[in-house]
Amino acid sequence: MRPPQWIPAWLLLLHGCATALLPKAADSRTDIRDCSTDPPYLPPTATDTTARVAALRGAMRALGVQAYVVPATDAHMSEYISARDARLGWLTGFTGSAGTGVVTQDKAALWTDSRYWTQAERQLDCNWELQRTTWIESIGMWILEAVPVGGNISLDPFLFSIDTWNSYRQALQGSGRVLLPIDTNLVDQVWGDQRPAAASSEIYSLPEEFTGSSWQEKVARIRQEMEQHMRHPTAVLLSGLEETAWLFNLRGNDIPYNPVFYSYTLLTNTSIRLFVGERRLAPAARSSLRAACPGPLCVELHEYEEAPAHLRQYVQGNVTVWLGTEYTTYGLYSLIPQEKLLEDSYSPVMLAKAVKNTREQDLLRAAHVRDAVAVIQYLLWLEKTVPRGEVDEFSGAQRMDALRQAQEHSCGPSFQSISASGLNAALAHYSPSNRSSRQLSVDEMYLADTGGQYLDGTTDITRTVHWGTPTPFQKEAYTRVLMGNIDLSRLVFPPNTAGRVIESFARRPLWDVGLNYGHGTGHGIGNFLSVHEWPVGFQSNNVPLTAGMFTSIEPGYYQDGEFGIRIEDVALVVEAQTEHQSGEKPFLTFEVVSLVPYDRNLIDISLLSPEQVRYLNTYYESIRARVGQELQRQQLQEEYDWLQRSTEPFPLGSAAAATATSTTGTLALTMLLSALLPGLQA
Amino acid sequence: MRPPQWIPAWLLLLHGCATALLPKAADSRTDIRDCSTDPPYLPPTATDTTARVAALRGAMRALGVQAYVVPATDAHMSEYISARDARLGWLTGFTGSAGTGVVTQDKAALWTDSRYWTQAERQLDCNWELQRTTWIESIGMWILEAVPVGGNISLDPFLFSIDTWNSYRQALQGSGRVLLPIDTNLVDQVWGDQRPAAASSEIYSLPEEFTGSSWQEKVARIRQEMEQHMRHPTAVLLSGLEETAWLFNLRGNDIPYNPVFYSYTLLTNTSIRLFVGERRLAPAARSSLRAACPGPLCVELHEYEEAPAHLRQYVQGNVTVWLGTEYTTYGLYSLIPQEKLLEDSYSPVMLAKAVKNTREQDLLRAAHVRDAVAVIQYLLWLEKTVPRGEVDEFSGAQRMDALRQAQEHSCGPSFQSISASGLNAALAHYSPSNRSSRQLSVDEMYLADTGGQYLDGTTDITRTVHWGTPTPFQKEAYTRVLMGNIDLSRLVFPPNTAGRVIESFARRPLWDVGLNYGHGTGHGIGNFLSVHEWPVGFQSNNVPLTAGMFTSIEPGYYQDGEFGIRIEDVALVVEAQTEHQSGEKPFLTFEVVSLVPYDRNLIDISLLSPEQVRYLNTYYESIRARVGQELQRQQLQEEYDWLQRSTEPFPLGSAAAATATSTTGTLALTMLLSALLPGLQA
C-alpha cells in the first residue's frame, strides 16, 4: 500500500507513524483565523473562495451530489503537479502540495498534515474547516456526519489511485451512502476558462549520448517480458509520466522539476499507442517514433485525452492488460474487466527503469561529479560570505541554483531547494521564500538539501554545516547521523533484500542514545527524470534492492525549535566482494556517488569505530580522485585547495583509542607503563 | 498476509524466499518411487491409499465435485494438530506437518515444501503425484488443467483461513470453475469410524499462582476495549485455541505440545459463550466459570460443534462482531454479514495475551531459571558421555526431556526436540527417531533445540556445541552467529518498532563475510501456552514490539552436508535507559531470560567488539547470579562448578587488541614501547 496519497511517501517514518507528522498538537492548537467574529478575522494571505465554492455547489446540485471530494494529485499520481492540475489550490486557496478537500451543500473542509497547518490557516477563508489529520477514515467519518443516508459522495475517478478509491469505498461501506464516480471533473467545470491552458511546450528526444538504450530496445525487452509471463499479457498500460518518458527516451516540461509530459502508453504485442498529441513532438522525436511505420515498432500517436476510449475499445478483445496499480487511477483501472487484468504494484516498465544498466550508471556518476563541483563551490562561498552576514536562506538557495546552472548539461533544480538555518532546519521540509528568509550565521547550523537536473542524471544531496562553535550535543547528534549514513553505506547484504529491513542501520547510532528521526531513509532517483523515483528505496512498499539501483541514504536529526541535521548521499547498489559466498548470487553493498565531504567542524571522531573511520577515509580518497580532477579541469583552484583540506584523512588512532577507553586495552597499556616506568626511573 | 498455511510461519526467511525451502533441486530430483514399472516400485514405508482415494472419489461424485482440496491444518489454524485432524495424513499416507492434497476423479497430488520431499517420496504410493512447491498459484494451475470449465472445486470452509480461501478464489477467478464450499468434510465422511475419537480428556483451571490475572479481569478488560473502540463492537469471536485458553485460564491436552483444548468463544458485551462441552471441564473449572450465573460474568457452556449455529443466530441482531482474521476460518467468517464485521489481523485477546504483565513476566523468568538447570545438566552430561561414544541424537533428546521432566512444575516438552549432529544439523528442522539416529562425536558439532512446558511458562532454547577441535570456519561461523545474537539482544530501539526492521542486526556479522541463514529470527512464546506464540516476533506480519513481550532471538548458520549452528535465547522486551530521551515513551531493549552459557570452545573472541564482550560478560554475570543459586538449591555441585567455568568473564583485552589490530592504536603502543625500551635498556 502506498501511504495516504497526499504525503510524499519518502517522507513517512518507517516505524509506525511519522512522528514528524503526528498531529499531537492538533487538539491544543488555536487557529490563526477567527471565524466566530463578524466579520471574521482572516490574515491578508487568505483567499476569498465564496464564489468558487458556491459555483461548485451549484454543479453538485445539478447532478444530485451531496459531497464532492477534491484531491491534490493529478491523473498520473505525480509528486509535482502543474498549475492546471492545482484544483485543490484554486478551490480552497491552500497551495500546499498535500491535502484533500470535501465540499457539501453547507460545509467544506480541508485535510492536511502538520507540515501545512500554519500555511493552511493563513490561506483558507472561513468557508473552510481545517482538519488536522490525514487519514481517509477521518474524511469518511466527516462525510458520514455531513451526508444523510442515501446521499451521493462523488469524485473524479481519474484523479484517485485504486488504493485511495478502495479506502473511500471501505470507509463508506454499509453506511447507505453511495460512492459515485463522475467522469466530468466538477472543479474544472466551474473553474472554466480561468483554468490554466493545457501544456503545449515541445516534447523532445533525449540525445543518444544520454540514453542507456534505444526506445526500440526497451520496447523489445518489455514485449519479451510479456511473452515470458505465465499469464501472457497482450498489453502493458502505462500511466506514470516517468514510465512513458523513460520508455521512449522523450522529455518535456509539463511539470515543475520533473522533465516529463502528460501522456499514457498502451504497448501491445503488435502495436504501440502513445497518447500525447502529435503536434507537441519535436520533429526529430516524431521521426524517431514513426520511422518504422507501419509495423510493430511504429508508434501510433493519439491525443492525450483519447487514452480511456482506446483502452475501452482494446479490452473488448481477447486480451490481458498488465498494469502497475500504484500509478494507475481507479478511472482507468475500472475500464478493464477483472478477468482481463494482470495487476502488479509496479508495471514492468517501472521495474526495468529502476535498474540502471552500466551506461546509465556511468551517466549518473558523471552528473554527480559535476554536481559535487557546484556544491563545493557553494560550501566554500558560504564559508567566506556567511561570517560577513551577507547570506540569507533565500539568497543562498539562489546561489546554489546558479552554481548548478553553470555546470555542463544542467537543466535546473530537481526540486525546490531546502535552505534552512537554525531552528528552521528542524522543519524537515522548510523552503525559504523571498519574504521570509533567515540570515545565515556562524552561530547556527545550516542545512542545504538541493539537487539538479542534468541531461545525464538527476542529483539530490544534503549537507549540514556549522561555521562557528557547535554545542557538544549538536556535534554528537551530527556525528551519530554521519555514523548512521556510513553504517548503511558500508553494509554488505544478501541479494533480494528489501530496503526496509536494512534501513535501521542508519538509525542505530542515534537509537543508542535515545534519538531518532521522523522520516524515511531514502528514495530512488532517475537519469534526468524524477528526484524521487519509485519503487526503489527503504520504505515498506519498495522492491528488493538489486545491483544497478540508485537510492539516496539520508538519516537526520531534528531538535524542535533549535536545529536540524540531515546528511544525504546518493548511492548505487553494487556487488560486494565477500570472504565467503553463500547462495548463487553475490552479496550487495553501496557505492556512494555523491562526492562532497562532510563538515569536519561537526564530527566528533572519537565516537567513530575504526571501521567507520577507515570507510570515511576511503570515501574521501575517491572524492579527491574524482572531483579533484574535475575541479582542476574547471580551473577552480581555490575549491581544489578547499577539497584537499576537507578530505584530509582522519587519524585512525583517535577512533581506536576512543574504542579502547575503559577497556582492558587501556588497562593493559597502563599496566605496561607501570611495569616499564620503574625501570626508566631506576 | 500469513505465509502459505502449511509452512510454520516462523521458519520462513524474511528476505524474499526461504532459501532453505527453495525448490531449487525440484527439477533435477529423481523420485525414490518408480511408478512407471508394473508393479510400481514403492519403498516399504509407503501407504496403500487406493481404497481411501476411491472412497473419497465416490463421495465427490455423489456431490458433483470435480476436485477436492485437503489441507494439513485444523479448524483453529493450529501449528500442531491432533490425530483426529490428520486428514491429509490418513488420505495420503504422508505424515509431514505441512502440505495440501488435491483429488480429482483420475488424478491426485500432494504439495509440500523441500523439508518434506524425501519423506513424501517414502510415504506416498502411486496414487499420488508429488508436487515440489508450496504456492497456491501452482495448486490453482494444476486444478485448472485437471478440471474442465464449469467444474466444481470443493473444500471444507472450516479448515481454510480467510487468506487461503481468497488465494484459491483468486487463482480460479474468471476461469469458469466454481469454488464451492461444502460444510460436510468429505474425508471425515469416508474416514468413518476409523477416525480417532474427539478429545475427551479433562480441561482444568490453571492454579491461581500461575496466572497473571483472573479470567474475570481479562473479560472486563476486553469488554472495555470493545466499548472504547470507534466501531463499538458488541462481541468478540475467538477461534484460536490459545485465545480461549488464555482468556479463561484453562488448559487441556487435546493437541501435542500445546496445552490447549478444542473450543470457540463468543464474548459479547452482556454474555459469555464458551463452546467446549460442559462434561469435559474439571469440577473446579466449571465452578469458577459458573460462579456468577446468571449475569454478565456467567460463562454459558455449549457444545464445541454448536459455535457456527450460535454465531449465525447472534448475527441476526443489531450487532458488530470483532475478530482476528489470522486465526478465523473462512467458514465462520462467511457467516457474518460484511456490515456487522469488524476485522483486524489479530483479535484483541491475541494482542492482550502478547503483552505479559509483571506477574506473567516473573513467572516466565522463573521457568527459564529451572529450564537452564536442566539444559546445563544436559550439557555437562554430554561432555562426559559423548567422548565415550555413548550418546546418539535420539537418546540425547530423551535424556534432555527427562532432565526437564524432573524440574518442578514440568509438563513435558514444548515441541519435538531437535537433536542433530554433524550434517543433520544443516537441516534446520531435523528431528531424530529411534530408527535413524546419528551418534554424537567429539569430531562433530551438535545442535540441540529443545523446550519445555512448565505451569509457569514455556521455554525454547538452542545451544550448539563441539567437544573436540572445530575447524576455523566452524569457529568463525559460530562466533558470527553469536555476534548476531548479541547485537540484536543489546539493541536499543524506539517504541513501536516492528521486529522486521531490526532483525537484520542478527544477520549483519554473517552478511559481512557473505553468509546468511534461511529462516526467521524469532517468535513469541507463552506462559504455559504455545512455543510459537503469534503475533510477536520479527516477521513481516508481527505487531510492533512493546515492553512486556517475549520473543526468541535465534540466528543460525547452516553448511549443507556438513554442519548447522543456531543460538537461540528467549528475551523480554524492556524499557531502555538512554542518555537522551526523544518522544514521549522510553526506548526499548531486550532482557535475555534464557540463562545458559555458550560454548567457549567455538567462540573466537578476537572477532568480538569490546561492546560485545562487555555485553557477554554482563550476561554471564546474570546467569551466575540467577542459575548458580538455583543449582546450589538443587544441590547440583558438579553443575555449579561447570557453570562457574563456563561463565568466566572474557578478557576485554583480546577483543580490544583485535579491534586495534592494523590501527594506529597498536601503532601508538609500538611507538610508546620503542620510546621506552631504550630507556630500559640503558
Side-chain angles (χ1 to χ4, degrees):
Chain A
M1 264 228 3
R2 286 183 99 191
Q5 60 175 0
W6 52 76
I7 303 182
W10 71 276
L11 225 193
L12 280 181
L13 177 64
L14 301 193
H15 310 287
C17 288
T19 50
L21 308 180
L22 268 185
K24 45 186 164 190
D27 295 341
S28 55
R29 211 179 155 90
T30 357
D31 205 311
I32 296 170
R33 306 173 296 166
D34 186 351
C35 295
S36 67
T37 59
D38 187 17
Y41 167 74
L42 287 173
T45 41
T47 301
D48 180 356
T49 64
T50 305
R52 298 170 191 183
V53 171
L56 179 62
R57 285 179 175 143
M60 288 163 58
R61 270 194 304 275
L63 291 165
V65 168
Q66 276 72 43
Y68 193 67
V69 187
V70 182
T73 47
D74 67 10
H76 307 275
M77 307 292 110
S78 301
E79 184 176 355
Y80 302 99
I81 58 168
S82 70
R84 181 176 168 81
D85 276 325
R87 297 173 180 91
L88 187 68
W90 176 78
L91 182 67
T92 66
F94 168 68
T95 59
S97 71
T100 298
V102 181
V103 176
T104 67
Q105 284 305 325
D106 48 13
K107 291 171 78 179
L110 174 90
W111 282 258
T112 191
D113 67 75
S114 61
R115 290 174 298 157
Y116 290 117
W117 293 344
T118 304
Q119 182 178 343
E121 291 169 6
R122 286 183 183 150
Q123 297 183 319
L124 297 176
D125 67 6
C126 286
N127 285 297
W128 295 90
E129 294 171 26
L130 174 56
Q131 294 284 340
R132 295 181 183 83
T133 163
T134 56
W135 302 107
I136 291 179
E137 286 80 357
S138 120
I139 305 181
M141 284 168 65
W142 187 95
I143 290 175
L144 289 181
E145 269 187 31
V147 175
V149 171
N152 290 327
I153 290 99
S154 271
L155 39 71
D156 177 349
F158 290 93
L159 290 181
F160 287 83
S161 73
I162 301 161
D163 266 358
T164 308
W165 170 272
N166 285 334
S167 299
Y168 280 106
R169 183 158 51 189
Q170 214 169 344
L172 301 177
Q173 189 168 43
S175 73
R177 283 79 169 176
V178 182
L179 188 60
L180 182 74
I182 302 182
D183 287 2
T184 308
N185 190 292
L186 300 191
V187 175
D188 294 353
Q189 191 181 309
V190 300
W191 201 350
D193 54 13
Q194 299 300 303
R195 187 179 172 212
S200 58
S201 60
E202 193 175 73
I203 297 163
Y204 56 95
S205 286
L206 200 55
E208 207 191 316
E209 57 181 305
F210 299 119
T211 60
S213 41
S214 70
W215 70 259
Q216 292 90 341
E217 286 165 345
K218 292 177 180 176
V219 163
R221 175 188 163 169
I222 301 301
R223 280 182 171 153
Q224 194 179 24
E225 285 187 39
M226 287 159 59
E227 267 177 47
Q228 289 168 351
H229 194 286
M230 209 172 72
R231 289 221 19 221
H232 304 301
T234 58
V236 168
L237 174 68
L238 303 180
S239 291
L241 300 186
E242 303 170 331
E243 296 180 292
T244 290
W246 178 85
L247 183 64
F248 297 110
N249 292 325
L250 296 174
R251 296 294 186 272
N253 299 302
D254 295 4
I255 280 188
Y257 305 116
N258 294 352
V260 294
F261 51 92
Y262 288 108
S263 57
Y264 294 98
T265 298
L266 185 66
L267 169 63
T268 81
N269 40 12
T270 54
S271 69
I272 311 170
R273 305 186 209 184
L274 171 57
F275 302 92
V276 69
E278 191 163 355
R279 72 192 178 291
R280 294 197 56 195
L281 289 165
R286 192 188 167 286
S287 316
S288 159
L289 298 174
R290 306 282 304 163
C293 292
L297 283 175
C298 161
V299 180
E300 299 168 26
L301 296 166
H302 302 280
E303 289 306 313
Y304 170 70
E305 293 75 13
E306 289 173 13
H310 273 256
L311 180 63
R312 202 178 278 117
Q313 174 265 321
Y314 181 73
V315 298
Q316 302 295 312
N318 180 22
V319 298
T320 300
V321 180
W322 195 2
L323 55 78
T325 52
E326 296 279 316
Y327 283 84
T328 308
T329 59
Y330 180 74
L332 277 185
Y333 174 84
S334 63
L335 296 178
I336 308 169
Q338 198 62 34
E339 70 275 14
K340 298 183 179 182
L341 190 64
L342 168 56
E343 47 181 304
D344 282 318
S345 295
Y346 303 100
S347 79
V349 169
M350 202 60 129
L351 295 175
K353 178 168 64 61
V355 180
K356 274 69 174 170
N357 64 26
T358 47
R359 173 99 189 96
E360 290 162 333
Q361 293 171 22
D362 288 343
L363 288 166
L364 252 165
R365 278 198 193 93
H368 276 86
V369 171
R370 296 194 310 284
D371 196 68
V373 169
V375 176
I376 287 167
Q377 287 180 291
Y378 182 51
L379 291 174
L380 173 58
W381 177 80
L382 288 173
E383 237 178 71
K384 293 194 290 189
T385 49
V386 169
R388 300 201 296 261
E390 288 170 3
V391 197
D392 63 27
E393 295 166 332
F394 190 71
S395 64
Q398 283 184 313
R399 178 78 180 193
M400 181 70 255
D401 290 350
L403 288 166
R404 271 207 178 86
Q405 195 69 49
Q407 287 296 320
E408 203 180 359
H409 308 319
S410 172
C411 301
S414 59
F415 58 97
Q416 191 181 359
S417 293
I418 295 170
S419 166
S421 185
L423 57 88
N424 284 340
L427 308 166
H429 270 241
Y430 171 85
S431 289
S433 75
N434 209 350
R435 283 185 309 210
S436 68
S437 179
R438 191 177 181 90
Q439 188 170 303
L440 272 53
S441 149
V442 295
D443 298 323
E444 288 192 335
M445 278 173 115
Y446 169 68
L447 182 158
D449 183 352
T450 64
Q453 290 287 7
Y454 303 87
L455 288 172
D456 44 358
T458 307
T459 68
D460 183 3
I461 184 168
T462 310
R463 287 296 179 265
T464 306
V465 289
H466 195 302
W467 302 279
T469 308
T471 67
F473 180 59
Q474 286 174 334
K475 213 166 158 174
E476 177 179 8
Y478 181 92
T479 305
R480 290 188 178 277
V481 171
L482 177 62
M483 289 159 73
N485 182 307
I486 291 175
D487 281 354
L488 184 52
S489 300
R490 62 187 283 270
L491 186 74
V492 173
F493 52 93
N496 221 26
T497 296
R500 179 178 173 81
V501 305
I502 60 170
E503 69 102 46
S504 300
F505 288 99
R507 300 179 187 271
R508 210 249 309 245
L510 287 164
W511 286 358
D512 274 347
V513 291
L515 306 177
N516 198 9
Y517 54 92
H519 57 70
T521 296
H523 53 80
I525 193 163
N527 281 84
F528 189 34
L529 273 172
S530 293
V531 70
H532 300 142
E533 190 178 273
W534 286 78
V536 174
F538 299 99
Q539 309 283 104
S540 59
N541 55 347
N542 289 144
V543 296
L545 295 165
T546 306
M549 289 178 172
F550 282 82
T551 177
S552 72
I553 292 178
E554 47 179 310
Y557 177 74
Y558 308 90
Q559 183 76 19
D560 237 20
E562 297 186 26
F563 62 89
I565 297 163
R566 188 160 59 252
I567 302 180
E568 176 187 24
D569 294 303
V570 171
L572 166 63
V573 182
V574 295
E575 293 183 355
Q577 306 293 328
T578 51
E579 193 182 326
H580 307 285
Q581 189 167 336
S582 61
E584 283 154 27
K585 286 174 153 187
F587 275 37
L588 303 172
T589 188
F590 295 103
E591 172 198 326
V592 174
V593 299
S594 301
L595 296 167
V596 177
Y598 311 114
D599 188 2
R600 295 177 94 85
N601 192 26
L602 280 165
I603 301 175
D604 176 355
I605 197 75
S606 75
L607 289 175
L608 272 62
S609 71
E611 290 77 16
Q612 288 166 338
V613 174
R614 236 172 270 135
Y615 170 87
L616 194 53
N617 287 343
T618 308
Y619 172 54
Y620 277 11
E621 269 171 38
S622 84
I623 296 182
R624 282 185 173 191
R626 297 162 74 184
V627 183
Q629 199 176 26
E630 179 67 15
L631 287 169
Q632 285 181 314
R633 199 186 65 80
Q634 297 192 25
Q635 303 185 315
L636 295 166
Q637 189 58 43
E638 200 182 346
E639 280 78 2
Y640 181 83
D641 295 339
W642 181 92
L643 181 67
Q644 296 304 112
R645 286 198 305 278
S646 304
T647 52
E648 276 291 318
F650 288 97
L652 270 164
S654 45
T659 306
T661 308
S662 82
T663 70
T664 50
T666 309
L667 197 66
L669 185 63
T670 316
M671 284 165 65
L672 185 69
L673 279 174
S674 48
L676 293 178
L677 283 175
L680 271 180
Q681 284 158 351
Chain B
M1 265 228 3
R2 285 183 99 189
Q5 61 174 1
W6 54 75
I7 303 181
W10 72 277
L11 224 193
L12 280 181
L13 177 63
L14 300 192
H15 309 288
C17 288
T19 50
L21 309 180
L22 269 185
K24 45 186 163 190
D27 295 340
S28 56
R29 211 180 155 91
T30 357
D31 205 310
I32 295 171
R33 306 173 297 166
D34 187 351
C35 295
S36 66
T37 58
D38 188 17
Y41 167 74
L42 287 175
T45 41
T47 300
D48 181 356
T49 65
T50 306
R52 298 170 191 183
V53 172
L56 179 62
R57 285 179 176 144
M60 288 163 60
R61 270 194 305 274
L63 291 164
V65 167
Q66 276 71 43
Y68 193 67
V69 187
V70 181
T73 48
D74 67 11
H76 307 275
M77 306 293 110
S78 302
E79 183 176 355
Y80 302 98
I81 58 169
S82 70
R84 181 176 168 80
D85 276 324
R87 296 174 180 89
L88 187 68
W90 176 77
L91 183 67
T92 66
F94 168 68
T95 57
S97 71
T100 297
V102 181
V103 175
T104 67
Q105 284 304 324
D106 48 14
K107 291 172 76 180
L110 173 91
W111 282 258
T112 192
D113 68 75
S114 61
R115 290 175 297 158
Y116 290 118
W117 293 345
T118 304
Q119 181 177 343
E121 290 168 8
R122 286 183 183 151
Q123 296 184 318
L124 296 176
D125 68 7
C126 285
N127 285 298
W128 295 90
E129 294 172 27
L130 174 58
Q131 294 284 339
R132 296 183 183 82
T133 163
T134 56
W135 302 107
I136 291 179
E137 287 78 359
S138 122
I139 304 180
M141 285 168 62
W142 187 93
I143 290 175
L144 289 182
E145 269 188 33
V147 176
V149 171
N152 290 326
I153 291 99
S154 271
L155 40 69
D156 177 348
F158 290 94
L159 290 182
F160 287 84
S161 73
I162 301 161
D163 266 359
T164 308
W165 170 272
N166 285 334
S167 300
Y168 279 107
R169 182 159 52 189
Q170 213 168 344
L172 301 177
Q173 189 167 44
S175 74
R177 282 81 168 175
V178 181
L179 187 60
L180 181 74
I182 302 182
D183 287 3
T184 307
N185 189 292
L186 301 191
V187 176
D188 293 354
Q189 191 181 310
V190 300
W191 202 349
D193 55 11
Q194 298 300 303
R195 188 180 171 212
S200 58
S201 61
E202 193 175 73
I203 297 164
Y204 55 97
S205 287
L206 202 54
E208 206 189 318
E209 57 182 305
F210 299 119
T211 62
S213 40
S214 71
W215 70 260
Q216 291 90 341
E217 287 164 344
K218 292 177 180 177
V219 163
R221 175 187 163 171
I222 300 301
R223 280 183 171 152
Q224 193 179 25
E225 284 187 43
M226 288 160 59
E227 266 177 46
Q228 289 168 353
H229 194 287
M230 211 173 70
R231 291 222 17 223
H232 304 301
T234 58
V236 168
L237 175 68
L238 304 180
S239 291
L241 300 186
E242 302 171 332
E243 297 181 291
T244 290
W246 177 84
L247 184 64
F248 297 111
N249 292 324
L250 295 175
R251 297 294 186 270
N253 298 302
D254 294 5
I255 279 189
Y257 305 117
N258 294 353
V260 294
F261 50 92
Y262 287 108
S263 57
Y264 294 99
T265 298
L266 185 66
L267 169 63
T268 82
N269 41 13
T270 55
S271 69
I272 311 169
R273 304 186 211 183
L274 171 56
F275 301 92
V276 67
E278 189 163 355
R279 73 191 177 293
R280 294 197 56 195
L281 289 165
R286 193 188 167 287
S287 314
S288 159
L289 298 173
R290 306 282 305 162
C293 291
L297 282 175
C298 160
V299 179
E300 299 169 27
L301 297 166
H302 301 280
E303 289 305 313
Y304 170 71
E305 293 76 12
E306 289 173 13
H310 273 256
L311 180 63
R312 201 178 278 116
Q313 173 267 322
Y314 181 72
V315 297
Q316 302 296 311
N318 180 22
V319 298
T320 300
V321 180
W322 196 1
L323 56 78
T325 53
E326 296 279 316
Y327 283 85
T328 308
T329 60
Y330 179 76
L332 277 184
Y333 174 84
S334 63
L335 296 179
I336 308 170
Q338 198 62 34
E339 71 275 12
K340 297 184 179 180
L341 191 63
L342 169 56
E343 47 181 304
D344 283 318
S345 294
Y346 303 100
S347 79
V349 169
M350 202 60 129
L351 295 175
K353 177 167 64 63
V355 181
K356 274 69 174 170
N357 64 26
T358 47
R359 173 99 189 94
E360 289 162 333
Q361 292 172 22
D362 287 342
L363 288 166
L364 253 164
R365 278 197 192 92
H368 276 85
V369 171
R370 295 195 312 283
D371 197 66
V373 169
V375 176
I376 287 168
Q377 287 180 290
Y378 182 52
L379 291 174
L380 173 58
W381 178 79
L382 288 172
E383 237 178 71
K384 294 194 288 189
T385 49
V386 169
R388 300 200 296 260
E390 289 170 4
V391 196
D392 64 26
E393 295 167 332
F394 190 71
S395 65
Q398 284 184 312
R399 178 78 182 195
M400 180 70 254
D401 291 349
L403 288 166
R404 272 206 177 87
Q405 195 69 51
Q407 288 296 321
E408 202 179 1
H409 306 319
S410 172
C411 301
S414 60
F415 58 97
Q416 191 182 0
S417 293
I418 295 170
S419 166
S421 185
L423 58 88
N424 284 340
L427 309 167
H429 269 240
Y430 171 84
S431 288
S433 75
N434 210 351
R435 281 183 310 205
S436 68
S437 178
R438 192 177 180 88
Q439 188 170 303
L440 272 53
S441 149
V442 296
D443 298 324
E444 289 193 334
M445 278 172 116
Y446 170 68
L447 183 158
D449 183 351
T450 64
Q453 291 288 8
Y454 302 89
L455 288 171
D456 45 358
T458 307
T459 67
D460 183 3
I461 183 168
T462 310
R463 288 294 180 265
T464 306
V465 289
H466 196 302
W467 302 278
T469 309
T471 67
F473 180 57
Q474 286 175 333
K475 213 165 159 175
E476 177 180 7
Y478 181 92
T479 305
R480 290 187 178 277
V481 171
L482 176 62
M483 288 158 73
N485 182 308
I486 291 174
D487 281 354
L488 184 52
S489 299
R490 62 187 282 272
L491 187 75
V492 173
F493 53 93
N496 220 27
T497 296
R500 179 178 174 83
V501 305
I502 58 170
E503 69 103 47
S504 299
F505 288 99
R507 300 179 187 270
R508 210 249 309 246
L510 287 163
W511 285 359
D512 273 347
V513 291
L515 306 178
N516 198 9
Y517 54 92
H519 57 69
T521 296
H523 52 80
I525 193 163
N527 281 85
F528 189 34
L529 273 173
S530 292
V531 71
H532 301 141
E533 190 177 271
W534 285 78
V536 174
F538 299 98
Q539 309 283 105
S540 58
N541 55 348
N542 289 144
V543 296
L545 295 165
T546 306
M549 288 178 173
F550 282 82
T551 176
S552 72
I553 293 178
E554 48 180 310
Y557 178 73
Y558 308 89
Q559 184 76 20
D560 238 20
E562 297 185 26
F563 62 89
I565 297 163
R566 189 160 60 250
I567 303 179
E568 175 186 24
D569 294 303
V570 171
L572 166 64
V573 181
V574 295
E575 293 184 356
Q577 307 293 325
T578 51
E579 193 183 325
H580 306 285
Q581 189 169 336
S582 61
E584 283 153 29
K585 286 174 155 186
F587 275 36
L588 302 172
T589 189
F590 295 104
E591 172 198 325
V592 174
V593 299
S594 300
L595 296 168
V596 177
Y598 310 115
D599 187 3
R600 294 177 95 84
N601 191 25
L602 280 165
I603 301 176
D604 176 355
I605 197 76
S606 75
L607 289 175
L608 271 62
S609 72
E611 291 77 14
Q612 288 166 337
V613 174
R614 236 173 270 135
Y615 170 86
L616 194 52
N617 287 344
T618 308
Y619 172 54
Y620 277 10
E621 269 171 38
S622 83
I623 296 181
R624 281 186 173 189
R626 296 161 74 184
V627 183
Q629 199 176 25
E630 179 67 16
L631 287 169
Q632 286 180 314
R633 199 185 65 78
Q634 296 191 25
Q635 302 185 314
L636 296 165
Q637 189 57 42
E638 200 181 347
E639 281 78 3
Y640 180 83
D641 296 340
W642 182 92
L643 182 67
Q644 296 304 112
R645 284 197 307 278
S646 304
T647 52
E648 276 291 318
F650 287 96
L652 270 165
S654 46
T659 306
T661 308
S662 82
T663 71
T664 51
T666 310
L667 198 65
L669 185 62
T670 317
M671 284 165 64
L672 185 69
L673 280 175
S674 48
L676 292 177
L677 283 176
L680 271 180
Q681 284 159 351

